[in-house]
Structure formats: C-alpha cells, structure tokens
Amino acid sequence: MNIIEIINKKRLNDVLSKEEINYVINSFIKDEIKDYQMSALLMAITINGMNFDETLFLTDAMLKSGDRLDFSGIDGLIVDKHSTGGIGDKVTLILAPLLASLNIKVAKMSGRSLGYTGGTIDKLESIKNFNVNLSNTDFMNQVNEINLAIASPSSNLDIADKKIYALRDVTATVSSIPLIASSIMSKKLASNADFIVIDIKIGAGALIKTKKEAIKLAHVLINIGKHYQKNVSCILTNMNQPLGYAIGNGLEIKESIDALNGNGAKDLMEVVYSIASIIISKAKNIDLKSAFNEAYQSIQNKKAYNKFLEFVARQNGDIKNIEVANDIEAVISDETGYIIGIDADKIGKLVLELGALRLNSDDIIDHSVGIVLSKKVGDFVTKGEVLGRIYKNKKSIDLNDFKECFTFDKTYNNKDKTIYGMIEDVK
Ligand code: URA
C-alpha cells in the first residue's frame, strides 16, 4: 500500500477501505508515514469528509493503536463523561463526586489543557500533592471503595489519537466531524466505560459552531457506540460565553467547591444537573425528573461535597492548599448597559496569555492564574462597576483586551438557552 495513493484518493473524494485506514494508522504510529503526509491526509479528510464506515474503521484502528483499560475488577456499571471542550468547563469536578455520592461508579481518565480549553487533570493538580498517576490496581480499588477515581491515562492509551491530535492542532484540521468522532470514541472505548455521555459544546468558544454540525456529530458518536455495544448519549450545550464565572485551574477548583456547597452559577449547574439526570436515570432505571431530584438533593445535603473531599484526600490532595494567585486586578466597566455577549474564545486566549493553559504539550502552566468574571450575559452593568478580576503571577494582559470581550446593548432580550437538547438514540 502507498500513502501517496491514499492521500490522492481522499483528495479526489473517494472512499477509503478498512485495509487502507489500518495501514495509515499502523504506519503513522511507527513513523513510517511522515507528519507532512499525515497532515495532507487530515486536510483531505477535513475538506471531503468520511462516510460512517470509514469513520468507524478509523476509530477502530485508533483504538487498537494502544492499550485498552481492563476494568473487569470494578463491580457494577461504570459511567464516563466527555466534553468536546469549552472555556471554564469544570462540569466533571462537580458531576463526578455528585454521581459517586449516589453510588454510581465513575472511573474517569481525563486530559490536560491544549490550546484555549482547559483540562481536568491540570485543574486537579492545582490542589497541592494531588496524585493523578494511579496504577491500574489502585485506580480500580479506589473506584470499588469510594465510587470515584480520576487519573491521567498512561502514555500507552490511544497512541494514535495523541499523535494525530498534535498534528490537527497545528494544521487547521481540528473541526472535522469524522476526526473529532474518531478521536473521542477511540479514547472513550479504550477507557472502557459501560455508559458514556458526551457534552457537545456549541458556539464561539467551541470547536463546533452550529447546532446542525453538533447534531451530525452526535449521530456519528452514538452510532459508533452502538457498534461496540456501548450506550452513548449526547447533550448539546451553549458555549457562547464561559461556563460559570472562573477560568483558570485553581480558580475553577474554588468555583467547583462553591458549586458543591450549593452556590453554583446558574448555567454551570444546568449543565451539571442535565448530565447527572441522564446518567442517574440510566444507572438506576428511573425517570429523568426523579433522577434530577436525586442529583439536586445530593448537592443540597452536601453528600456530593463530602464525596469530593473524600476523593481529593484519597488521591493525596491537600484541599486547604489550592493554588490561586494573590496579585489580583479588578477591571472596571467603561460602559452602562446589558451585557449581550462575552466572547469565550477571546477569554480563552487571555487566560492562555496569563499562563494557565498550554499551546504545546510540553509547556509548563501556572495553576494559580486566570480570570473570574463578575458579570454574565444578561446582567445590567453601570459604568464603574467591576466586570471581572484578573489573577496574575509572572505574566499580565492588556486590561482593554479583557474589556473588549464584552458586548453591551441598551436592552437584552436574548432567549439563548444553556441546554439545546439531548440526543440518545439514533435509528
Ligand atoms: N475532544 C477530543 O477528544 N477530540 C477532538 O477531536 C475534539 C474534542
């Protein structure tokens, strides 16, 4: 087989065979196909797409490129959740202990930040001594004993995705539905949960810009899941402004603790409760409303918060020691009016400039820095009021760049929702 012929075939919008796709992935992970050849193929896929069978073959080849976790030592149904990536997305930090507090087993491998979106592992590492590297045995024991473990996957999991994602990030080939679907599903299948919810973020601060694209992606994800007898549900959520108020690692841990104590931002808790309701209703075979009530009670009676404390202590974290910068600058509004937009993408770039996120996988990040918004879309602001606070350490940003993230108007009548819908099954 010849990579040049395969690239040319995709360039001409032909369908690739299973053998050709296996050859590409196997040769690429052995460096027999070069980065520049893979980049050309990724661009041809981004432009011409892939049909469902090609996407499935690609997922399967990627899945087989690395280890598959063996969770047979965990008793009962295991759930997992994945987000396509958003600014201020700290849902896992609240959702996972909430589910665990209701006796649902969460065995989660999470990622680090890359580009403008954060990663759960970086957030957890802003808690002093928190250990994200658990052996498979420790991981399974922990899930069996306290229903929850979150760790960083070993470097042997989904080797192809790591190599391909790094190329996609620098070749403008991230926003391709077959590439996103194969990347997510190969990782989720390798992590071997029984039931998976994927939060597809839509909007300015997300990979997916329209509901139409999100629905298309959801159908592909669910159908790949079906092929492997995995129950996949997708939830479509708004990423036109950051989720909640804090963006930055330690700051997001603090906001999650507030949320677990019943003081969560409205949009953040809507996403948490929606995903929790789907998972609880499946795991306990109850209707969505009863599932929501269980989730709500777990926050109200602090069971979820106590589970979070137990989980942090079990992974050696010192909850009293969360990295947060003490050089704080308040940014004052020059305008009076309703906020009709907060550009999540630009906020992500500013947080990256402050040092909280990484552009390259080997960049060292600063867990303590970030931004805490004081206002959200729909709030009325008077000139002189605080729009947000910048938490900085070694690097700073131009405060005008932060002000420019906000769009004002005299009125606000936007009915934009936080949750656009849920897609569970596809015929
Ligand atoms: N999340 C992933 O894991 N992969 C993608 O390609 C996009 C979002």
Side-chain angles (χ1 to χ4, degrees), residues 82-85 161 165 168 174 179-181 183-184 187 207:
H82 187 85
S83 154
T84 56
D161 182 59
Y165 202 91
R168 284 170 61 207
V174 173
L179 296 180
I180 296 175
S183 161
I184 293 177
K187 279 194 290 267
L207 277 183

Side-chain angles (χ1 to χ4, degrees), residues 264-326:
K266 186 169 169 288
D267 59 346
L268 173 62
M269 292 316 288
E270 261 187 76
V271 177
V272 170
Y273 284 134
S274 302
I275 301 178
S277 303
I278 300 171
I279 295 179
I280 296 164
S281 79
K282 297 257 179 192
K284 300 196 170 186
N285 206 9
I286 56 177
D287 61 67
L288 278 174
K289 192 161 180 293
S290 313
F292 169 84
N293 285 337
E294 288 207 17
Y296 185 76
Q297 282 313 320
S298 161
I299 295 286
Q300 295 307 309
N301 61 26
K302 302 273 167 84
K303 272 192 173 170
Y305 176 59
N306 289 328
K307 182 57 75 177
F308 177 78
L309 294 179
E310 188 182 13
F311 149 72
V312 169
R314 177 72 185 243
Q315 291 190 222
N316 211 29
D318 175 1
I319 198 65
K320 294 204 175 70
N321 211 329
I322 300 166
E323 285 185 64
V324 171
N326 47 27

